[in-house]
Amino acid sequence: MRLLLVEDDPMIGESVRAGLQQDGFAVDWVQDGRAAELALQTNAYDTLLLDLGLPRKAGLDVLAALRRRGDSIPVLILTARDAVADRVKGLDAGADDYLVKPFDLEELAARVRALLRRKSGSADPVIQVGGLILNPATHEVTLDGRQVSLSAREFALIHALAARPGVVYSRAQLEEKLYGWGQEVESNTVEVYVHSLRRKLGANVIQNVRGVGYMVPKQP
Ligand code: CA
């Protein structure tokens, strides 16, 4: 899952990015409101983490413009302002959740997972497709009751596909979910992970849709 982090405080930005990357998210980080708008218009993100006090364009204005465009991306506000009025303004401008700084990175990751669940239309914290069960909080995977050990990127790939069974993702879309800016993507990286996932989870877990991409098929 790919996140856009908008935060002008370098220490907070760096620690949030590092923490979420360790949790298996691909994270792009920008430090002002205009860079955020540019990134949102040129990339597909699963969630936006938005500071309110930002140079060049305030977080609330970025949010308002985003919603005016009809963009329904989940938005979590990160703010030092603990005044009730600011939180209310943020939520009323279209945010889905907020965290007041300083916050705990584990709580942030849990709130992001909750937003991603709601975005995919499921309240269940566990993703189940047939005999395959994924837990995004613990990265535990079982297939027909048997535990399977996956690397962080293998988990990220099967998570992206299994969250929306029957939906076909192109190789480029999957690369976007696996890598943030500045992370080197090797040319056949998605094929390599698909190959290892099929070896661990069975050949039929991921279907190749010729000329289009990959999907986890819907189970009857
Ligand atoms: Ca700030």
Side-chain angles (χ1 to χ4, degrees):
M1 297 295 170
R2 187 166 185 177
L3 315 178
L4 180 65
L5 167 65
V6 191
E7 169 61 69
D8 62 317
D9 181 314
M11 277 177 63
I12 298 175
E14 191 51 60
S15 75
V16 168
R17 177 170 66 176
L20 290 174
Q21 276 179 349
Q22 201 156 34
D23 250 359
F25 294 104
V27 183
D28 293 344
W29 173 27
V30 294
Q31 305 194 29
D32 69 70
R34 294 218 187 278
E37 293 203 312
L38 188 64
L40 286 163
Q41 282 164 17
T42 49
N43 299 277
Y45 293 104
D46 296 296
T47 298
L48 170 63
L49 308 176
L50 183 65
D51 183 24
L52 290 186
L54 289 169
R56 298 180 78 201
K57 185 161 189 173
L60 276 179
D61 295 336
V62 173
L63 177 58
L66 187 69
R67 295 312 190 210
R68 266 202 308 276
R69 280 204 305 277
D71 193 326
S72 64
I73 182 175
V75 176
L76 191 153
I77 289 175
L78 306 172
T79 179
R81 307 176 193 179
D82 54 359
V84 173
D86 283 325
R87 300 205 293 262
V88 170
K89 253 190 238 166
L91 292 167
D92 280 345
D96 299 280
D97 198 2
Y98 67 86
L99 265 180
V100 175
K101 297 173 195 168
F103 50 79
D104 186 282
L105 275 176
E106 281 181 31
E107 181 178 2
L108 174 61
R111 283 177 188 265
V112 169
R113 286 191 291 271
L115 289 176
L116 291 170
R117 282 200 295 279
R118 272 179 255 155
K119 182 183 174 226
S120 73
S122 166
D124 190 344
V126 160
I127 294 171
Q128 181 161 15
V129 186
L132 177 68
I133 298 177
L134 308 176
N135 186 331
T138 61
H139 287 198
E140 279 175 330
V141 180
T142 59
L143 180 67
D144 300 326
R146 171 178 63 89
Q147 276 220 323
V148 182
S149 163
L150 301 183
S151 72
R153 288 243 160 82
E154 287 169 352
F155 188 91
L157 181 59
I158 192 70
H159 181 198
L161 290 168
R164 301 188 64 195
V167 174
V168 181
Y169 287 92
S170 70
R171 197 175 77 177
Q173 286 173 320
L174 291 172
E175 282 174 357
E176 281 200 348
K177 292 198 179 282
L178 297 183
Y179 295 92
W181 294 336
Q183 291 181 294
E184 199 70 30
V185 185
E186 283 163 45
S187 63
N188 61 345
T189 185
V190 168
E191 284 86 345
V192 169
Y193 290 126
V194 166
H195 180 79
S196 62
L197 283 166
R198 282 176 172 154
R199 193 167 45 77
K200 291 178 178 181
L201 299 172
N204 299 325
V205 67
I206 297 173
Q207 257 177 34
N208 192 351
V209 182
R210 204 174 291 278
V212 187
Y214 298 97
M215 70 165 175
V216 164
K218 276 187 183 162
Q219 300 292 313

